[in-house]
Amino acid sequence: MIISTFLFGIMNVLIKYLSDIPSYEVVLFRSAISLVITFFMLKRAGVYPFGKSRRIFLLMRGLAGSTALLIFFYTLQNLPLATAVTVQYTSPIFTIILAAWIVHEPVRWQQWFFFFLSFCGILMIRGLDPGFDTKFLLLGLLGAAFSGIAYNAVRKVGDAEHALVVVFYLPLSTLPIITPYCATHWVMPHGSEWLLLLGVGITTQFAQLYMTRAYQMEKAGSIANYAYLGIVFALLFGYFFFHEHFSAIAITGMGIVIFGILLNFLFIQRVTNFRRFRVYIRNFPGL
C-alpha cells in the first residue's frame, strides 16, 4: 500500500507538469495506457482478462473507480487544489464505513479515533478554503464515497481473481465513459507532454496493481489509513520538484498523520496477535 501511494504521488507530479492538457484528457491517456499494458500482462500470464467469477464485483469496482476518477478530476478543475485533494482523502473513511456493510468487516471504536486523528492531521497540512461553491465540496465527497465502494469491491473479489483482472476492469470501464467527451474537446499534446502522459499511464498501472494486491491480501481497516501518506508524499514532492514550502503547522500535521497510521497499525497487530493466541490456547494439547 505504501509503494502504491508513492507511485500515485509520482503520477500527481507528472500531472502537475501537464498543466496545459485538460484533466479529462489525462484520464483518457491514463486509462488507455493502463488498458494496453494490463492486457498484454494478462496475455503473458495466461489469464482470462474478463474474469472467471464474481464479475458483478469486478464491474462494481470498474464503474465505481471510473466514476470516482472522473469526479476527482472534475473537482480539481473547480476547487482549489488543496481543498480537492483534502476532500478526496476522506475516501479511507468511506472505505471503512462501507466495509462494515459490503464485506462485513467490523470497525472498532479505537479505529474511528485513529482515522479522525489522521484526518485532523490532513486538515492541518492543507486546510480547507471556504471560498468555493458548496456543491463542489459535496461532489468531492461523493467521489470519495465511490472510491470507498471500489476498494470494498476489490476486497469482495478477494483472491478469486488475478490482481491484473481487477486492475483491467478500471480502464475497461473508464474508456467508454470518457472517450466520447474527449473526442469533441480534444487538445493535442506537444513535445515532452507525450512522454509525461506515458509516464502517467505507467505509474498508474503499477500503483493500481500494488493497491489491488494490498486490498486482496489484507482487511480494509488494516491498510486504508496508509492512503493518507499520499499527502505527505505530495508535500515532499512539492518541495523538491516545485520548490513549494510548508509551515510548522504543516510539518506538525504530517507527524499527526503518520502517528494516526502507526496507532492503527499497532492496534490491528495487537488484535490479530490476540486472536491467534486464543486459537493457539484452544487447540493446545491437554487444554
Side-chain angles (χ1 to χ4, degrees):
M1 192 64 176
I2 295 174
I3 295 174
S4 171
T5 306
F6 176 80
L7 290 174
F8 276 125
I10 296 294
M11 179 200 72
N12 290 334
V13 171
L14 298 177
I15 292 175
K16 192 172 179 64
Y17 279 120
L18 288 165
S19 57
D20 295 330
I21 302 296
S23 58
Y24 55 80
E25 200 167 310
V26 177
V27 172
L28 176 70
F29 276 96
R30 163 179 164 162
S31 301
I33 294 172
S34 179
L35 184 77
V36 173
I37 294 176
T38 306
F39 178 78
F40 281 104
M41 292 178 72
L42 284 165
K43 186 176 180 180
R44 182 176 181 182
V47 178
Y48 182 62
F50 300 103
K52 298 173 293 184
S53 63
R54 302 191 179 185
R55 291 192 179 96
I56 183 64
F57 294 108
L58 288 169
L59 185 61
M60 180 190 298
R61 184 267 189 275
L63 292 175
S66 62
T67 302
L69 186 66
L70 291 171
I71 290 176
F72 175 56
F73 276 85
Y74 180 72
T75 55
L76 279 175
Q77 292 178 328
N78 293 278
L79 288 175
L81 179 61
T83 303
V85 172
T86 301
V87 172
Q88 175 62 22
Y89 270 88
T90 61
S91 60
I93 298 176
F94 286 103
T95 301
I96 300 302
I97 294 173
L98 294 169
W101 173 57
I102 298 176
V103 295
H104 309 292
E105 292 182 358
V107 182
R108 297 174 181 266
W109 67 267
Q110 295 94 330
Q111 290 181 271
W112 288 111
F113 172 74
F114 302 149
F115 300 150
F116 176 75
L117 188 65
S118 292
F119 186 70
C120 287
I122 289 178
L123 294 180
M124 292 180 65
I125 292 172
R126 306 300 276 173
L128 284 171
D129 184 356
F132 57 82
D133 195 329
T134 305
K135 69 179 181 182
F136 293 121
L137 173 62
L138 296 176
L139 190 61
L141 291 172
L142 180 63
F146 272 105
S147 293
I149 295 174
Y151 297 149
N152 278 289
V154 172
R155 286 286 297 135
K156 198 70 175 178
V157 171
D159 289 327
E161 295 290 351
H162 196 285
L164 286 171
V165 174
V166 182
V167 172
F168 185 67
Y169 265 80
L170 180 59
L172 190 66
S173 303
T174 303
L175 286 174
I177 298 174
I178 195 68
T179 300
Y181 184 81
C182 289
T184 56
H185 299 78
W186 183 257
V187 176
M188 181 62 67
H190 298 283
S192 61
E193 291 175 338
W194 289 103
L195 293 177
L196 292 173
L197 288 168
L198 179 63
V200 168
I202 293 175
T203 53
T204 299
Q205 171 69 17
F206 288 99
Q208 286 283 342
L209 182 60
Y210 278 110
M211 183 192 69
T212 299
R213 285 302 297 147
Y215 277 99
Q216 285 182 321
M217 295 167 62
E218 189 54 85
K219 291 183 178 180
S222 303
I223 58 175
N225 231 20
Y226 286 87
Y228 285 129
L229 285 173
I231 288 290
V232 179
F233 289 138
L235 287 170
L236 293 175
F237 292 153
Y239 176 79
F240 287 107
F241 289 102
F242 305 105
H243 307 291
E244 298 174 351
H245 299 278
F246 41 90
S247 64
I249 295 179
I251 296 176
T252 303
M254 291 172 61
I256 292 176
V257 171
I258 296 174
F259 185 58
I261 291 172
L262 289 176
L263 285 177
N264 184 62
F265 174 77
L266 293 174
F267 176 77
I268 291 295
Q269 289 294 106
R270 180 181 177 183
V271 171
T272 302
N273 291 336
F274 180 71
R275 289 176 179 172
R276 290 175 179 173
F277 177 74
R278 289 177 60 184
V279 172
Y280 174 77
I281 292 297
R282 289 174 182 173
N283 297 329
F284 192 81
L287 294 180

